[in-house]
């Protein structure tokens, strides 16, 4: 079966053809990165399409814009309905990636963005499978440091923030790695360019806190709850760079990456160089949840059809 083609997008309250969703070249976001976005996954289980943690994504979606006084001129319910309606209009019956975003429109070159500055809101979607090799990836510590609250708020999912991620990704690819790991301004582990990070030592999960410039990830939060139900403790604390080399297991989490094992860092093998036992357990449960096979976490999925 050929992947579906998303012929329609949601643009400022209406579903329109993709080619009809246009913005002028003087759009502020093109010049300054004044855009806010979210990434959601839709999972098809042969009977229905389930969107993972829809309400939580929409909440973060609005909060990110508040940091920069960029207004989302639609209610949470309107954005939720837009996503659901667009899935139906595009007749999505396979797993997909859904991206809602809003951005500053015509505002000249004025940097004084306020709640009254004109904005546009959009939802797009496209087929999406695995981002990384599920058997594990090789990573390297980037020479680029993760942005921090001292300069650009890392907890807001802003388009401009990801220039930092692009630099780290380019460097990691040049060095022969699948993905980068960034340090915070103090030299502690922060996150990957688009993913949170967990390390496992002595049966405990460790993950960097927001003070280490780690995004408050929704997949990260899901993993913490799954791990707790499995009887594993998660500790959110600063992680020195050297400590990650001592890890028994390491994995990344994110909407696109889902739960991806890390098998080496800077050429140093993690564990036995394969997906770890705890990582495997968590990933299996997570995968079952997303397609509606685990009723315990049914609160996390929203059926489209």
């Amino acid at each position: 079966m050929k992947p579906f083609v998303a012929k329609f997008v949601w643009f400022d309250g209406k579903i329109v053809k993709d080619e009809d969703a246009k913005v002028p070249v003087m759009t502020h976001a093109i010049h300054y990165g004044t855009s806010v976005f979210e990434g959601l996954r839709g999972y098809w289980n042969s009977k229905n399409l389930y969107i993972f943690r829809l309400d939580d994504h929409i909440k973060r979606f609005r909060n990110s814009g508040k940091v920069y006084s960029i207004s989302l001129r639609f209610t949470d319910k309107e954005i939720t309905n837009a996503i659901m309606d667009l899935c139906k209009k595009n007749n999505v019956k396979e797993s997909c990636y859904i991206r809602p975003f809003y951005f500053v429109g015509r505002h000249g070159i004025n940097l004084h963005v306020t709640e009254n500055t004109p904005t546009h809101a959009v939802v797009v979607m496209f087929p999406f499978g695995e981002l990384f090799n599920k058997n594990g990836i090789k990573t390297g510590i980037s020479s680029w440091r993760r942005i921090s609250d001292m300069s650009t708020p890392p907890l807001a999912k802003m388009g401009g923030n990801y220039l930092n991620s692009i630099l780290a990704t380019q460097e990691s690819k040049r060095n022969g790695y699948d993905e980068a790991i960034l340090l915070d301004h103090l030299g502690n582990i922060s996150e990957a360019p688009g993913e949170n990070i967990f390390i496992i030592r002595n049966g405990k999960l460790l993950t960097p806190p927001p003070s280490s410039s780690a995004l408050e990830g929704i997949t990260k939060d899901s993993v913490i709850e799954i791990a707790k139900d499995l009887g594993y403790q998660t500790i959110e604390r600063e992680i020195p760079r050297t400590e990650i080399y001592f890890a028994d297991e390491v994995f990344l989490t994110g909407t696109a990456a889902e739960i991806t094992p890390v098998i080496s860092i800077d050429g140093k093998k993690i564990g036995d160089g394969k997906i770890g036992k705890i990582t495997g357990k968590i990933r299996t449960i997570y995968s079952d949840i997303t397609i509606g096979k685990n009723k315990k976490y049914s609160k996390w999925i929203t059926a489209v059809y």
Side-chain angles (χ1 to χ4, degrees):
M1 184 177 69
K2 291 183 179 180
F4 78 93
V5 177
K7 296 181 180 180
F8 299 96
V9 304
W10 183 87
F11 188 93
D12 281 346
K14 298 179 181 179
I15 292 179
V16 300
K17 289 183 178 179
D18 178 64
E19 60 266 27
D20 293 333
K22 299 176 181 179
V23 296
V25 294
M26 278 305 294
T27 297
H28 197 269
I30 296 174
H31 296 263
Y32 297 118
T34 44
S35 63
V36 182
F37 74 94
E38 272 297 324
L40 300 90
R41 281 260 203 169
Y43 292 89
W44 179 252
N45 71 349
S46 79
K47 295 181 180 179
N48 211 329
L49 183 70
Y50 293 107
I51 300 176
F52 186 68
R53 298 194 67 167
L54 176 57
D55 292 342
D56 295 302
H57 278 286
I58 299 305
K59 180 179 179 181
R60 187 174 66 181
F61 188 48
R62 185 174 299 279
N63 284 340
S64 291
K66 288 179 179 179
V67 177
Y68 286 86
S69 298
I70 297 175
S71 298
L72 175 58
R73 304 191 189 284
F74 295 88
T75 66
D76 291 357
K77 185 63 175 176
E78 286 173 323
I79 298 297
T80 297
N81 288 341
I83 291 171
M84 302 290 278
D85 292 344
L86 190 60
C87 286
K88 294 172 184 175
K89 183 67 174 178
N90 281 314
N91 194 31
V92 181
K93 293 187 177 178
E94 63 182 280
S95 294
C96 65
Y97 186 93
I98 303 164
R99 169 146 293 181
F101 59 101
Y102 56 110
F103 57 94
V104 177
R106 281 189 176 273
H107 192 56
I109 60 170
N110 190 339
L111 296 178
H112 185 208
V113 173
T114 72
E115 289 85 352
N116 297 320
T117 298
T119 60
H120 301 280
V122 186
V123 180
V124 299
M125 57 185 54
F126 45 86
F128 200 77
E130 293 182 354
L131 180 64
F132 293 118
N133 186 336
K134 290 303 180 183
N135 293 320
I137 60 173
K138 299 177 180 180
T139 65
I141 304 290
S142 177
S143 65
W144 295 98
R145 293 294 173 95
R146 169 81 169 141
I147 56 174
S148 78
D149 261 328
M150 295 187 295
S151 56
T152 308
L155 297 189
K157 283 185 73 68
M158 305 297 298
N161 286 7
Y162 284 77
L163 290 170
N164 176 236
S165 297
I166 287 170
L167 287 170
T169 299
Q170 290 172 332
E171 181 184 49
S172 71
K173 297 295 185 181
R174 285 196 301 269
N175 292 335
Y177 299 119
D178 301 306
E179 185 63 305
I181 294 174
L182 292 102
L183 306 179
D184 67 13
H185 67 287
L186 295 175
N188 296 313
I189 299 297
S190 178
E191 60 173 44
E195 304 87 26
N196 289 115
I197 188 165
F198 285 82
I199 79 171
I200 299 174
R201 292 193 69 191
N202 304 317
K204 295 180 180 179
L205 281 69
L206 308 176
T207 191
S211 58
S212 288
S213 296
L215 183 72
E216 291 182 328
I218 291 169
T219 309
K220 170 184 173 178
D221 179 73
S222 304
V223 164
I224 291 172
E225 188 163 335
I226 292 168
K228 180 181 178 181
D229 290 344
L230 286 172
Y232 297 111
Q233 181 183 7
T234 300
I235 301 170
E236 200 172 51
R237 66 161 171 81
E238 292 182 349
I239 301 173
R241 173 176 178 164
T242 307
E243 186 175 9
I244 202 167
Y245 301 131
F246 301 154
D248 302 314
E249 303 176 38
V250 176
F251 63 91
L252 307 181
T253 63
T255 295
E258 300 173 296
I259 297 171
T260 298
V262 173
I263 58 176
S264 73
I265 301 173
D266 292 340
K268 304 177 192 297
K269 187 166 67 174
I270 300 299
D272 60 2
K274 299 178 182 178
I275 181 172
K277 181 180 177 182
I278 297 175
T279 303
K281 284 182 181 179
I282 294 172
R283 186 169 73 177
T284 296
I285 292 174
Y286 179 84
S287 296
D288 286 344
I289 293 168
T290 60
I291 58 173
K293 287 180 63 177
N294 191 317
K295 302 303 180 185
K296 182 176 181 180
Y297 302 90
S298 59
K299 63 182 179 181
W300 283 349
I301 57 175
T302 303
V304 172
Y305 301 107

